[in-house]
Amino acid sequence: MKPITTDIPLRKHFVRIAVFAILLVTPSLFNVSLAQQSELDLLPEDLDQYIAQVLERFEVPGASVSVVKDGKTLLAKGYGVKAIGKPDLVDDQTLFCIASNTKAFTATLLAMLVEEGTIGWDDPVIDHLPWFRMADSYTTNHMTIEDLLVHRSGLGLGAGDLLQFPPTTYTRREIAERLKDIPLSSSFRQRYAYDNILYLVASELVQEVTGTTWEENVETRIFDKLGMKQSVPRISALMQKPNIAYPHTPVNGVVTLGKNFPDIRMGDVSNAAGGISSNAQDMAKWLLLQLDSGLNRVSGERLYSPATAERLWTAVTPMPLYKPIAPLVPLTQIYSGYGLGFRVHNFREHKLVTHTGGLSGAYYSRVALLPELNLGVAVLTNQESSAAYDAIVHDILDYFSGEKQRFDWLEGHTKLDSLRKLRIADWERSSADQRDSTSSPSLSLRAYEGTYRDAWYGDVSVTLVGGKLRINFEQTPAMEGLLEHWQYDTFVARWDDRSLKSDAFVSFVIDPDGKVEEVRMKAFSPAVNFSRDFHDLELFPVEN
């Protein structure tokens, strides 16, 4: 199946029709048996209506929702539509990319290899990958397999992500080998900073110790064992499937259907960090495995022990405490940390094991487990709205937590979403106000032309075409665009594909001889995804 490429504005009246259409379908369409109906009775009576309301509020075309409790699947269902402007409804088999919720699969796979005795959590990575290097020798020699998963390596937030997102021409091994040139922003194991690139190293390690790829291991050791028949571990395979939710993103305030996905979003090199696609039925099986501490209910086989489950769910790296706005005060945290592929913190008085997934311009998701209540929830969506999945997940968690008065999660997350957008708008307005729009570049435009090289990314070229400067990230096909003058010797990269929403300041440093001696970049706005780590680039002219 080829990706749909038509851009169709998402109109509120259409969303209302689409998301409520699912509620009008008879139960027989979902093959709801009498036994299944009794399970549905354990859910909030108005859950379907509430989910439809959430999707409408945050302009999310479609969602997949799974709820498991006490070893049973209470809900595995699709809501809304696969693509705006199309009548196809999301069902329980519709695939969504789960993005960084993949990390828990990678951690679980490594845990299974540890139990088999193939590797140990405390093994130095270089014992299995002798070519592995970080920016300093101490980190290189002391980095363990567990360290690959817990975001305390010394790398900065999203460091090296421009090697992966949007997809580059580098192989998985080539990206991993470029780690040695990425500067560290803190000491080893000093502080939390989320990364994706070390999960890529983990996939290289899996292949080295098993002789087969990370993707093959996930399929045979997890998907096949659990009966996750529709799930795929390769992002490249998603668009070849017949039943998929298409990606959407807001562009200039209007939610539109994404173009050319997954080519401009993510490639297979990053599968271990965020490449799995799944659906409501399969995610329910995954939730049950986690809550059953490795017991496979399909076969009765245990994939890993309760002790391993506890290790996956135990915080290793302390994280900053989340301080919610007043309308979301129940989210106040008293502890928070990152475990092995999961975040661990409290939800009210309960331990919450959770993770989010966000593929910029495409799919957003959350997985949440309350082990004390034997409760699991997964929400997958095809629009980048964290407010939507949180409003659904928090409402379900609250219901089963036994709260006497239902909290208005929809209103709380609406206010948070509005505040976030307001802050971004204020920042961008302030930046524009401080701009000296009367200034001019100090050199002729042709003097800025050239190839500039960063040690870890590679080459970025600047060319003069039709009297305008253009910028091209040589290893990233999607990142080409115009350089608009901002002020003095600073320009703004406006990428040709506006759905990337990754505009960046490009500042040329001029030496005393009137030549460019360095180029520095940084994101144009706080709205730019953290994976666009432009600020880490140190670009120097390449001499002819």
Side-chain angles (χ1 to χ4, degrees):
M1 178 182 292
K2 294 181 179 180
I4 299 174
T5 58
T6 305
D7 282 342
I8 305 173
L10 182 61
R11 306 303 183 192
K12 287 187 177 293
H13 73 273
F14 175 78
V15 180
R16 186 175 294 111
I17 293 171
V19 296
F20 279 100
I22 199 75
L23 306 178
L24 302 177
V25 183
T26 60
S28 61
L29 182 60
F30 296 102
N31 299 314
V32 179
S33 67
L34 290 176
Q36 289 172 318
Q37 187 61 51
S38 65
E39 307 298 349
L40 292 176
D41 292 340
L42 299 175
L43 296 165
E45 292 182 2
D46 63 345
L47 183 59
D48 281 349
Q49 289 84 353
Y50 176 76
I51 292 173
Q53 187 180 4
V54 170
L55 299 189
E56 179 185 3
R57 177 75 58 86
F58 299 114
E59 297 185 291
V60 175
S64 170
V65 182
S66 309
V67 182
V68 303
K69 180 80 168 70
D70 298 328
K72 297 180 180 179
T73 299
L74 304 188
L75 182 70
K77 187 173 178 180
Y79 296 83
V81 294
K82 300 174 186 176
I84 56 175
K86 302 292 181 180
D88 293 344
L89 301 178
V90 176
D91 60 32
D92 61 353
Q93 298 293 311
T94 302
L95 291 172
F96 295 72
C97 179
I98 68 172
S100 284
N101 276 300
T102 300
K103 289 181 171 65
F105 285 81
T106 298
T108 299
L109 174 60
L110 288 173
M112 293 164 67
L113 294 175
V114 169
E115 287 212 352
E116 293 173 6
T118 304
I119 57 175
W121 286 123
D122 297 325
D123 289 357
V125 174
I126 57 172
D127 284 0
H128 300 284
L129 300 176
W131 51 264
F132 173 76
R133 294 291 183 275
M134 295 289 286
D136 70 61
S137 59
Y138 183 87
T139 306
T140 298
N141 292 327
H142 291 82
M143 177 84 69
T144 67
I145 291 175
E146 181 180 77
D147 287 319
L148 295 176
L149 306 180
V150 296
H151 309 297
R152 61 178 184 180
S153 65
L155 290 169
L157 173 64
D161 276 358
L162 278 172
L163 293 169
Q164 306 177 65
F165 316 113
T168 64
T169 57
Y170 293 120
T171 66
R172 188 176 289 172
R173 171 71 176 266
E174 287 172 335
I175 293 173
E177 288 179 337
R178 285 177 174 266
L179 263 168
K180 63 181 173 50
D181 295 312
I182 300 177
L184 302 178
S185 65
S186 68
S187 298
F188 183 48
R189 296 178 181 165
Q190 180 186 42
R191 65 178 177 84
Y192 170 84
Y194 190 83
D195 76 81
N196 289 290
I197 197 168
L198 290 178
Y199 274 77
L200 183 152
V201 175
S203 66
E204 284 289 289
L205 188 143
V206 167
Q207 182 164 344
E208 178 66 27
V209 301
T210 66
T212 55
T213 65
W214 173 91
E215 290 84 355
E216 292 169 318
N217 273 278
V218 168
E219 284 182 311
T220 58
R221 293 172 180 264
I222 299 178
F223 289 173
D224 291 349
K225 297 278 189 179
L226 296 181
M228 297 176 67
K229 298 179 180 179
Q230 302 301 320
S231 297
V232 290
R234 297 170 179 83
I235 192 66
S236 61
L238 175 59
M239 283 303 182
Q240 310 307 316
K241 296 295 181 179
N243 186 0
I244 63 173
Y246 288 91
H248 298 76
T249 184
V251 178
N252 297 323
V254 178
V255 175
T256 56
L257 197 60
K259 293 181 179 180
N260 303 323
F261 184 84
D263 297 340
I264 64 168
R265 296 290 175 244
M266 180 176 154
D268 280 340
V269 295
S270 306
N271 282 334
I276 288 177
S277 297
S278 192
N279 58 34
Q281 286 287 352
D282 284 0
M283 287 303 291
K285 296 171 184 176
W286 171 247
L287 295 173
L288 288 171
L289 174 74
Q290 290 294 323
L291 290 169
D292 287 338
S293 298
L295 178 64
N296 179 6
R297 286 180 174 266
V298 175
S299 64
E301 175 188 10
R302 182 168 288 284
L303 301 189
Y304 54 89
S305 68
T308 289
E310 186 63 27
R311 182 150 190 171
L312 290 170
W313 296 349
T314 298
V316 175
T317 306
M319 293 175 62
L321 296 179
Y322 175 63
K323 298 178 181 179
I325 62 173
L328 291 172
V329 69
L331 296 181
T332 300
Q333 292 180 353
I334 57 176
Y335 64 89
S336 181
Y338 200 95
L340 305 184
F342 290 102
R343 292 185 175 97
V344 183
H345 57 82
N346 63 291
F347 175 79
R348 296 190 184 270
E349 72 275 18
H350 301 289
K351 176 181 179 179
L352 175 65
V353 179
T354 187
H355 211 285
T356 59
L359 192 51
S360 179
Y363 300 97
Y364 269 32
S365 63
R366 182 182 280 280
V367 167
L369 306 168
L370 290 182
E372 298 165 16
L373 302 182
N374 208 6
L375 172 69
V377 183
V379 176
L380 320 178
T381 73
N382 60 345
Q383 205 264 87
E384 49 183 330
S385 171
S386 58
Y389 65 59
D390 273 340
I392 296 170
V393 168
H394 292 147
D395 187 72
I396 295 172
L397 295 183
D398 233 12
Y399 176 81
F400 285 100
S401 294
E403 294 298 319
K404 295 180 180 179
Q405 184 174 357
R406 191 170 187 178
F407 191 80
D408 195 343
W409 292 105
L410 177 54
E411 186 61 25
H413 284 293
T414 298
K415 290 182 178 178
L416 179 61
D417 189 57
S418 299
L419 182 60
R420 179 186 62 84
K421 292 176 180 176
L422 180 62
R423 286 174 175 168
I424 290 172
D426 286 346
W427 190 96
E428 292 177 349
R429 189 181 305 110
S430 175
S431 179
D433 289 344
Q434 295 175 33
R435 172 192 181 193
D436 184 356
S437 59
T438 64
S439 64
S440 301
S442 59
L443 306 177
S444 68
L445 293 184
R446 188 164 298 280
Y448 297 98
E449 280 192 299
T451 298
Y452 302 91
R453 181 168 297 157
D454 174 79
W456 60 266
Y457 172 79
D459 290 353
V460 174
S461 64
V462 175
T463 55
L464 188 62
V465 180
K468 296 182 179 181
L469 290 175
R470 289 188 60 81
I471 184 170
N472 177 22
F473 275 57
E474 297 288 348
Q475 307 298 329
T476 311
M479 292 185 67
E480 291 189 55
L482 285 174
L483 283 181
E484 287 185 4
H485 183 250
W486 181 254
Q487 63 179 354
Y488 308 112
D489 291 309
T490 294
F491 296 75
V492 177
R494 307 283 190 191
W495 309 110
D496 294 340
D497 184 349
R498 303 309 297 152
S499 71
L500 286 178
K501 295 179 293 183
S502 299
D503 291 351
F505 286 115
V506 181
S507 297
F508 295 84
V509 180
I510 311 302
D511 69 14
D513 296 326
K515 296 181 180 179
V516 178
E517 67 176 7
E518 184 180 357
V519 179
R520 300 304 302 263
M521 296 182 65
K522 68 176 184 178
F524 178 73
S525 160
V528 174
N529 188 276
F530 72 84
S531 284
R532 308 295 189 255
D533 51 329
F534 298 116
H535 52 277
D536 286 333
L537 296 171
E538 296 180 347
L539 295 157
F540 297 98
V542 177
E543 297 295 334
N544 292 329

